[in-house]
Amino acid sequence: MGAMRLCRRDTGESWEVEEGHLLGRLKACHVRIEDSSISRKHAAIENREGTLWIVDQGSSNGTFRNGQKTRAFPLLAGDLLTVGKVALDVVGDETDSARNGGEEPQTEVQESQAEAERAQLRRELAAPRRSKGFGDLDQQPVEIKLLAVVLGGGLLWGMMELVQWISARMEGGAPV
């Protein structure tokens, strides 16, 4: 089992990980990441049959390996680990046979497919995200902004008319 490191993509921070290490926001964590999307004790590093595994500790935002949410998985060199919204590269001196559980090395086609998937995940993580709902009005086209202003103004005018009508009824007079 070689030395494994986690390298944070956005800041370049790097941590060597070993069995028993914790990843989270707490000061007691060996891999301490100050980010609100990460739980206080987000994940733990375990040794399972000579291989380091990362095990989610019931975190709110989950732990992902190459874009797939999972509770526990082996740390393999070249993988993309995402905890909360933070992307970490797994770096180590794993050999192809260790990476494949002692099987024959992957074919060139399989390796290129895996690299293409990783590149796609990296692009998706780096791309700015837009709200899937109505979201922030600044994200909407001018026409939608104008419609929101008109509807808001109409609603306000209607509410003022309703208050005047109720007020006139309560005083016993005719509507204005």
Side-chain angles (χ1 to χ4, degrees):
M1 175 175 59
M4 299 297 286
R5 297 188 69 73
L6 299 178
C7 299
R8 185 171 174 173
R9 286 189 172 181
D10 58 349
T11 65
E13 289 178 274
S14 179
W15 301 270
E16 188 165 326
V17 293
E18 319 179 334
E19 176 183 6
H21 282 185
L22 285 175
L23 185 149
R25 288 191 338 251
L26 288 179
K27 288 183 181 181
C29 291
H30 299 89
V31 178
R32 184 169 181 233
I33 302 174
E34 287 293 326
D35 188 280
S36 61
S37 68
I38 296 177
S39 297
R40 289 174 292 193
K41 289 184 180 178
H42 197 98
I45 307 295
E46 295 180 1
N47 184 344
R48 295 185 182 178
E49 298 177 11
T51 302
L52 290 179
W53 282 61
I54 189 155
V55 180
D56 189 272
Q57 301 294 295
S59 65
S60 300
N61 292 320
T63 303
F64 298 78
R65 176 187 186 197
N66 298 328
Q68 300 295 315
K69 187 173 186 177
T70 184
R71 171 124 168 67
F73 56 89
L75 283 175
L76 300 175
D79 279 347
L80 170 63
L81 168 65
T82 308
V83 287
K85 294 181 180 176
V86 176
L88 303 163
D89 287 308
V90 180
V91 180
D93 55 358
E94 295 286 308
T95 63
D96 281 339
S97 62
R99 183 175 175 83
N100 294 320
E103 299 172 7
E104 291 296 314
Q106 295 179 342
T107 65
E108 288 183 30
V109 172
Q110 289 172 321
E111 288 175 354
S112 65
Q113 286 174 337
E115 190 55 41
E117 289 174 11
R118 285 190 185 105
Q120 176 64 28
L121 287 169
R122 288 182 184 114
R123 283 191 299 275
E124 289 173 7
L125 284 169
R129 297 201 177 158
R130 293 184 67 134
S131 172
K132 292 184 181 179
F134 189 69
D136 188 4
L137 196 55
D138 288 338
Q139 296 177 348
Q140 304 304 322
V142 172
E143 295 83 8
I144 298 295
K145 292 177 186 178
L146 184 59
L147 180 62
V149 169
V150 169
L151 288 175
L155 183 63
L156 184 59
W157 176 80
M159 293 298 290
M160 288 176 21
E161 287 295 317
L162 180 63
V163 168
Q164 285 181 354
W165 182 79
I166 291 172
S167 176
R169 289 286 177 188
M170 290 178 72
E171 294 175 4
V176 178

